[in-house]
Amino acid sequence: MAEAAGPSMAPGRLMTETRGRVRLHWTDVFSYAYLAFGVLLMFGPVVWLVMSSFKTPAGLVEFPPTFLPLGQIEVTVEGHDDPLLLFDVTMEDGTTRELAQIRRIGIVSQMIDPADPTQTFRVPIENREAIREFRLALENYIDPLERFDFLRYLWNSVVVTTVATIVTLLINSMAAYGLAIYEFRGRGTIMIFVIGTLMIPITVILVPVYLVVTQLGMVNTLWAVILPGAATPTGVFLLRQYMLTIPRDLIEAARMDKASEWTIYWRVVLPLAMPAIAVLAIFSIMWRWNEFLWPLIVLNRSEVYTLQVGLNAFQGELDVQWHYILAMTVVTLIPVVVVFAFLQKFITTGIASSGMK
Amino acid sequence: MTEIRLRDVRKSFGSTDVIHGIDLAVASGEFCVFVGPSGCGKSTLLRIIAGLEDVTAGAVEIDGEVVNGTPAADRGLAMVFQSYALYPHMSVYDNMAFGLENAKLPRTEIDVRVRHAAELLQITDYLRRKPKALSGGQRQRVAIGRAIVRDPKAFLFDEPLSNLDAELRVAMRRELSALHAKIGGTMIYVTHDQTEAMTLADKIVVLRDGTVAQTGTPLELYNSPDNAFVAGFIGSPRMNLIEAVAEPGARGTALRAGAARIEVPPLAGLAPGGQVTFGIRPEHIAMGAADESDLTATVAFAEQLGGETYLYVDAEGLPQLTLHQPGQVPVRQGERIGLRFDRAEMHLFDADGRVLANGLVP
Ligand SMILES: Nc1ncnc2c1ncn2[C@@H]1O[C@H](COP(=O)(O)OP(=O)(O)O)[C@@H](O)[C@H]1O
Ligand SMILES: [Mg+2]
């Protein structure tokens, strides 16, 4: 795999690596073809999403679809206040001219030559074709962010993700410390219980958790999203496995150094467990940012919507505002992509060293 | 000053008994070394004293107070681990200050103590470094420094020199000795290396399979071992231990081993026909003319070191014997030589390995 050979090579060389000395070996051709196919498979939809997010509603439903977002060119013509749309028109004598449309009546449109505004024409609409150029429909982004309060959803999502991740890291690492380092009777049994909860699907506990959240009066607050998922068995397990690899001598040295359990946790174990903490942080950020079902259930007022729930609101019963959905989907993708791009190294090394797949 | 006492201490891990009832007193200011082969329970015993391991039965007393239920942190002892156990994410300074911070000492006091210890151990230049950036010997000093700054009631060392190379080990051994002379304090030191034990200890405790084989000063153990195990363990190269059968002899008794017959003075408890083991240290075997020798042997191998010579000789029906001669001895491989055992330096053990006599003189 390219990954395995990667770290020791400069990126430039990695991209043009071949097996044969001079000419391409057939395995090179195969590898590159396979990789290209993979890239297409993974990236194609994302690129299409980004392109589509800049299209107008009309551009989205057009068939055949265009790859680039396009918009029709407009010109201002003397004697007309509003800008007019520009068309390529096939005249009755077979010549083509660029004309601007003044108005359209039924299947006939009344047109004018922008170069010579005195001349007007009546043209059947099947004889004209819109002249288009590359144009980004930025209103797809601006409208939801301004009119529909998407900035508020964005803020809510950021709050939920950050606070939930911090709480998750704190609670999970404390539990992992208890299960890996602090010695007490019944530790193994408790560990089995924690692992056992992995087998209970979220749908089973949805209603009981909802009732608890309601009783605590947290419905329609962000806490309703943050707290129920704060302790994850996966996270506890991941951190515990890592903490087990910390040499026992270090913990005992700390005990001899009069450190309290809290001090050992906070000043010795936590700093040493940083690689595993980083992995869990990345996972937690991605889980929380993309979480949909639970927020949808407990957040019913638009002030507390997170991005994912807000996106859902564009999906009406009768019409779906695809252009807004696509644009806001791109917005929700950005943080995850950034997190991945910058912390990718942590993820691979952390997963390798924490023994979790 | 601190006195440590163990009373009939026992320890089992599950169904495995590791320590089988140990009674021991370490006097105040004493440098006491636990020595024994690997797996005999030295570390376990040290960890019991430290409070890192509970006893199964018996009592640990520090200054006359039973501390069985006292957690490690409150026993006021400091330990140096075999792996050094330095906190890898902290600088040398922070490693040494950590224990003092936990004891809630004021910053200025911590600083004074850390710098003083650093000076004592000559690690002032590395205070800002992380342990990763130190050599083995430097890490060792930091680990000792971490113990010193706490000004503990007693120091516990678990094979602290075993990860160092031979030369550094000798140097550190000397420094530890000097350190004990300078700061005093009760020290308990665990090692499997009898040379370390002999050179460092005021008192050696030889452990064997979770029991005390013998306790005494280094020379007491060397000169008067209580049993064949201690006789074989203390001293390098090892004492020659030879199994023999007692017979009536011309001067009282004779010991028959292989082809050799060694006349010894009459001894209480040595009945004719009894199975015994006698021991003789390499330096107490003299080379001599064949007619006045106890036995003749063939030189298998000679180590000429210039100032001294080690000979390894084979005799019929006996295990290979080691000889230590001062100066240079002109022998060749395969040469036959006569050997005479110094009766006053011979040790005699019964069939169970208990000593019958140290020095066979009438
Ligand atoms: N935590 C433990 N659980 C089970 N057996 C142990 C444990 N610690 C030590 N032992 C056993 O006790 C015996 C003595 O160990 P130890 O004190 O470490 O020996 P050493 O003299 O080499 O330091 C060994 O046989 C070892 O296997
Ligand atoms: Mg040990």
Side-chain angles (χ1 to χ4, degrees), chain A residues 248-249 252 256-257 267, chain B residues 47 83 87 89 101 150:
Chain A
R248 207 175 119 191
D249 277 0
E252 292 183 340
M256 297 295 296
D257 267 344
R267 294 207 45 201
Chain B
R47 292 163 52 81
S83 62
Y87 312 117
H89 57 294
E101 283 165 11
R150 297 249 322 273

Side-chain angles (χ1 to χ4, degrees), chain A residues 94 117 140 254 277 309:
Chain A
N140 290 353
I277 300 262
V309 179

Side-chain angles (χ1 to χ4, degrees), chain A residues 72-77 80 82-89 97-114 119-131:
Chain A
Q72 198 166 1
I73 296 177
E74 296 178 329
V75 288
T76 42
V77 182
H80 298 271
D82 296 329
L84 304 177
L85 296 171
L86 201 61
F87 288 88
D88 260 336
V89 179
R97 304 178 63 161
E98 276 186 18
L99 297 179
Q101 172 177 280
I102 303 169
R103 70 178 71 82
R104 180 180 150 187
I105 305 148
I107 57 161
V108 178
S109 80
Q110 198 178 5
M111 311 196 87
I112 187 170
D113 189 344
Q119 254 189 310
T120 63
F121 305 84
R122 296 169 64 80
V123 181
I125 56 167
E126 67 268 20
N127 285 355
R128 48 159 225 192
E129 201 178 325
I131 302 178

Side-chain angles (χ1 to χ4, degrees), chain A residues 8-177:
Chain A
S8 59
M9 275 183 234
R13 203 165 112 65
L14 178 67
M15 297 299 282
T16 56
E17 186 65 11
T18 59
R19 180 178 176 151
R21 285 280 154 74
V22 185
R23 290 181 43 234
L24 284 179
H25 193 259
W26 72 266
T27 53
D28 295 328
V29 177
F30 180 79
S31 305
Y32 280 108
Y34 180 73
L35 290 173
F37 174 70
V39 168
L40 196 70
L41 206 65
M42 307 276 175
F43 260 118
V46 177
V47 172
W48 194 262
L49 166 73
V50 173
M51 284 304 170
S52 301
S53 75
F54 288 106
K55 287 178 184 169
T56 57
L60 277 172
V61 297
E62 196 176 314
F63 192 86
T66 57
F67 177 68
L68 291 174
L70 300 174
Q72 198 166 1
I73 296 177
E74 296 178 329
V75 288
T76 42
V77 182
E78 231 175 280
H80 298 271
D81 296 334
D82 296 329
L84 304 177
L85 296 171
L86 201 61
F87 288 88
D88 260 336
V89 179
T90 313
M91 304 303 285
E92 272 154 30
D93 56 6
T95 59
T96 58
R97 304 178 63 161
E98 276 186 18
L99 297 179
Q101 172 177 280
I102 303 169
R103 70 178 71 82
R104 180 180 150 187
I105 305 148
I107 57 161
V108 178
S109 80
Q110 198 178 5
M111 311 196 87
I112 187 170
D113 189 344
D116 178 12
T118 55
Q119 254 189 310
T120 63
F121 305 84
R122 296 169 64 80
V123 181
I125 56 167
E126 67 268 20
N127 285 355
R128 48 159 225 192
E129 201 178 325
I131 302 178
R132 301 195 294 181
E133 61 175 358
F134 174 74
R135 192 187 296 158
L136 299 175
L138 292 175
E139 62 275 15
N140 290 353
Y141 287 82
I142 296 165
D143 284 354
L145 290 177
E146 281 184 348
R147 287 210 318 243
F148 300 107
D149 225 8
F150 241 76
L151 278 178
R152 165 138 224 140
Y153 306 161
L154 187 69
W155 173 247
N156 287 342
S157 266
V158 168
V159 169
V160 166
T161 305
T162 330
V163 176
T165 299
I166 292 170
V167 173
T168 301
L169 292 182
L170 210 63
I171 289 185
N172 285 3
S173 61
M174 281 174 3
Y177 177 87

Side-chain angles (χ1 to χ4, degrees), chain B residues 139-346:
Chain B
R139 283 179 207 181
Q140 180 62 67
R141 285 162 200 268
V142 177
I144 294 172
R146 194 169 63 176
I148 290 178
V149 287
R150 297 249 322 273
D151 195 13
K153 287 186 182 169
F155 294 89
L156 310 176
F157 297 90
D158 191 355
E159 311 217 9
L161 306 185
S162 61
N163 287 339
L164 302 180
D165 60 53
E167 205 172 327
L168 205 50
R169 204 171 331 167
V170 173
M172 280 306 287
R173 210 160 69 195
R174 230 175 268 136
E175 280 188 38
L176 268 177
S177 227
L179 194 71
H180 181 237
K182 197 178 311 182
I183 62 178
T186 311
M187 294 191 176
I188 301 181
Y189 184 105
V190 161
T191 179
H192 64 267
D193 178 351
Q194 63 88 30
T195 316
E196 250 170 53
M198 294 292 282
T199 48
L200 284 171
D202 295 327
K203 178 163 87 193
I204 296 181
V205 178
V206 183
L207 294 174
R208 180 194 193 187
D209 294 340
T211 54
V212 175
Q214 190 177 354
T215 305
T217 64
L219 289 183
E220 272 167 23
L221 297 191
Y222 190 86
N223 294 332
S224 328
D226 275 353
N227 48 58
F229 175 77
V230 174
F233 193 81
I234 299 290
S236 172
R238 286 166 54 92
M239 181 190 284
N240 297 297
L241 288 168
I242 301 158
E243 284 178 16
V245 182
E247 294 177 346
R251 284 163 53 204
T253 325
L255 302 171
R256 171 163 298 286
R261 192 183 143 88
I262 297 149
E263 296 281 345
V264 294
L267 271 172
L270 186 59
Q275 275 286 338
V276 294
T277 302
F278 71 88
I280 180 91
R281 294 205 182 271
E283 65 268 32
H284 297 142
I285 304 178
M287 291 167 58
D291 52 343
E292 56 191 44
S293 298
D294 292 318
L295 59 95
T296 49
T298 317
V299 176
F301 183 59
E303 285 178 351
Q304 303 277 2
L305 298 180
E308 54 192 346
T309 306
Y310 290 98
L311 300 177
Y312 301 90
V313 301
D314 292 322
E316 198 192 330
L318 297 183
Q320 189 169 66
L321 301 181
T322 311
L323 268 74
H324 178 213
Q325 299 285 316
Q328 304 178 3
V329 182
V331 292
R332 284 183 321 280
Q333 201 169 336
E335 193 174 319
R336 286 189 69 78
I337 54 176
L339 303 180
R340 180 160 179 82
F341 300 152
D342 183 349
R343 299 294 186 274
E345 299 292 352
M346 276 177 70

